[in-house]
Amino acid sequence: MFNEDLAAHYLDTFASLSLPDNQSTTKDSGVIRWGMSLLEREAHTFFQEEMRSLGLDLSVDAAGNSIATLPGSDPDCGALACGSHLDSVYRAGRYDGIAGVIAAMLAARHVVESEERWRHPLSCVVFACEESARFSQACLGSRLATGLTSRSDLRRLHDAQGISAEEAMKECGLCPEEVDEQRWRTEDWEAFLELHIEQGPRLDEEGVQAGVVEVISGSTRLRITLEGIASHSGGTPMELRHDALAGAAEILRAAEDYARDAAHPGTRVTCGVIDVEPGGLTTIPGRCSMSIDIRDTSAESQRAAREAIEDAVATAAARRGLSATITPLSHVDPEELALGPRQALRNACRDLGVSFIDLPSGASHDAQIMARLCPTGMLFIPSLNGGVSHSPDELSRVSDLVTGARVLHAALRRLDHGA
Ligand SMILES: [Zn+2]
């Protein structure tokens, strides 16, 4: 049933499957469970064993996505599915992805133990390698399943150690050579619902138990490289400099001003990586490369933000005599989620007396990819500690997770009845 002790036990079990952090000087360095690693496979195995013990049928596809299915009474129906991911970023928390997998596990257990008869198959899905932390590609497992990423891309994607995604998959027993043939078929899926932690402060601030996601932000990722002239920091007068890092600072300031302007409320711009060469205390930076991540809930304003940043690059480069190159790394449009699953989640909240609001998702999720395959919905549960995520300080209440699992089950049940 929907048991808080069991949810807490699952959270502890998944958190224990973590790499030791040799770099860490603090006590709590969080969870490290890279996508396409043996530890991620171990977490999937725990999920598989729990689901098998309940009598669900297990399959793992070539990309490493695990699917546990309870057959329905009508063999012609596609699956009603729920789930999320079990990989993590570097020094992560215990809830991102894991909460959605646990909610799916609790929902399946409830259906089995209550001996409910469903018309549709119920599938609990754990996607492989959702985080972009290792291969700079988000949602790798779901993208391979839906054909947005193919086998040839797996050779192109490399981690910081130079291991390709293809090699990493082989090392943990997966079958990258079969991913293109094993794509999922749209007729096998009736709907997909993902529960996730909010990764933002709104639900906790507004004192509600859940959020129904209306739209998932798109993202545009760029690498900007500025070339100037490296020279002596004491000998070169300020007016004669071609300082690449100072140019990057100007671009970052312009990007931040743009995104903070009240005229662009859905736009978020972040520079998370910056490399400076030659990197000496007494040398003017001759080369600087920076990442830019643009998130937006509207495709039009996402494009406008990109243009504004391109303009800022041109202005800074011209003013400082730098040469600038902009390399597009990836682009995903915002995804408005289907009305049917959204309505089912709202009605499920009402049925159970669970307070909720509608809201957008700033982060990307496997649901964004599954939305290409079938009607898809997302349910957020509150993130505490100001909504911090991708951090050991990530926190959600177990009681909110269990409430979310009840809503997830009730929404899927409604979809099973066609309501
Ligand atoms: Zn996640």
Side-chain angles (χ1 to χ4, degrees):
M1 298 291 169
F2 294 105
N3 181 324
E4 286 190 21
D5 291 339
L6 185 62
H9 163 65
Y10 285 160
L11 281 167
D12 288 341
T13 304
F14 287 124
S16 72
L17 297 172
S18 174
L19 276 184
D21 186 355
N22 301 327
Q23 317 282 323
S24 175
T25 50
T26 56
K27 209 162 90 281
D28 186 9
S29 57
V31 174
I32 309 174
R33 192 167 50 244
W34 299 114
M36 303 303 182
S37 73
L38 286 170
L39 262 183
E40 184 193 27
R41 296 323 304 165
E42 230 180 286
H44 276 239
T45 302
F46 176 75
F47 161 81
Q48 292 160 10
E49 284 169 357
E50 284 292 301
M51 295 294 92
R52 205 175 274 126
S53 75
L54 284 175
L56 275 70
D57 302 328
L58 256 299
S59 68
V60 181
D61 71 6
N65 303 306
S66 299
I67 307 166
T69 301
L70 200 58
S73 60
D74 186 342
D76 295 331
C77 284
L80 290 167
C82 56
S84 192
H85 63 96
L86 289 173
D87 62 317
S88 83
V89 297
Y90 182 59
R91 295 184 182 171
R94 296 156 52 103
Y95 303 88
D96 177 356
I98 291 99
V101 173
I102 293 175
M105 292 166 82
L106 297 180
R109 178 173 289 273
H110 179 81
V111 173
V112 171
E113 291 182 348
S114 317
E115 298 179 13
E116 289 176 0
R117 297 285 296 155
W118 286 40
R119 195 161 77 82
H120 297 77
L122 172 66
S123 288
C124 300
V125 182
V126 183
F127 291 104
C129 198
E130 188 271 349
E131 299 289 359
S132 59
R134 182 167 181 194
F135 296 109
S136 303
Q137 172 66 70
C139 305
L140 194 52
S142 52
R143 290 179 66 95
L144 288 166
T146 51
L148 286 175
T149 294
S150 61
R151 189 189 171 192
S152 55
D153 300 312
L154 296 175
R155 296 194 182 128
R156 189 176 48 77
L157 299 169
H158 288 82
D159 69 7
Q161 271 70 48
I163 300 170
S164 72
E166 183 178 47
E167 287 169 299
M169 288 173 74
K170 281 185 183 160
E171 270 170 34
C172 54
L174 302 173
C175 309
E177 59 283 351
E178 287 171 33
V179 291
D180 293 345
E181 291 79 58
Q182 287 198 19
R183 280 183 195 151
W184 297 3
R185 302 178 317 161
T186 183
E187 58 268 34
D188 293 336
W189 303 91
E190 174 77 13
F192 174 74
L193 301 183
E194 180 171 6
L195 177 146
H196 205 281
I197 55 167
E198 182 197 350
Q199 303 178 290
R202 260 190 79 186
L203 299 180
D204 188 41
E205 276 173 11
E206 301 201 20
V208 291
Q209 293 163 286
V212 176
V213 177
E214 297 172 293
V215 57
I216 302 177
S217 292
S219 72
T220 300
R221 292 171 186 167
L222 309 170
R223 183 168 44 242
I224 299 166
T225 308
L226 301 165
E227 304 268 2
I229 297 175
S231 182
H232 196 287
S233 65
T236 319
M238 294 308 287
E239 66 275 16
L240 295 182
R241 295 179 178 215
H242 302 281
D243 184 331
L245 178 58
E250 201 175 307
I251 294 163
L252 182 53
R253 181 61 199 264
E256 194 192 28
D257 285 350
Y258 179 90
R260 288 178 69 111
D261 188 329
H264 314 120
T267 306
R268 290 166 191 192
V269 179
T270 305
C271 167
V273 180
I274 194 151
D275 289 310
V276 181
E277 291 174 38
L281 185 78
T282 56
T283 308
I284 297 163
R287 188 171 196 273
C288 181
S289 145
M290 67 196 292
S291 68
I292 290 283
D293 175 40
I294 304 166
R295 308 280 183 130
D296 216 301
T297 48
S298 133
E300 200 182 321
S301 40
Q302 192 175 324
R303 262 193 301 282
R306 179 187 179 146
E307 284 165 16
I309 287 165
E310 286 168 348
D311 288 348
V313 171
T315 306
R319 220 157 66 77
R320 294 173 181 273
L322 307 170
S323 73
T325 326
I326 301 175
T327 313
L329 299 177
S330 67
H331 174 88
V332 185
D333 274 333
E335 187 73 46
E336 189 157 340
L337 296 178
L339 281 175
R342 269 158 63 184
Q343 207 49 43
L345 285 165
R346 286 195 194 103
N347 286 332
C349 286
R350 291 186 191 110
D351 293 345
L352 297 170
V354 171
S355 54
F356 71 97
I357 54 169
D358 295 321
L359 81 177
S361 168
S364 14
H365 298 287
D366 290 309
Q368 196 166 4
I369 310 300
M370 281 300 282
R372 319 274 170 113
L373 202 65
C374 63
T376 291
M378 272 201 96
L379 183 75
F380 280 169
I381 61 166
S383 290
L384 310 182
N385 283 343
V388 66
S389 182
H390 284 188
S391 153
D393 295 332
E394 194 175 84
L395 185 66
S396 287
R397 287 181 205 94
V398 176
S399 57
D400 284 338
L401 169 53
V402 172
T403 298
R406 295 169 68 93
V407 173
L408 189 71
H409 164 268
L412 289 165
R413 193 73 173 128
R414 275 181 160 272
L415 291 169
D416 190 49
H417 292 145

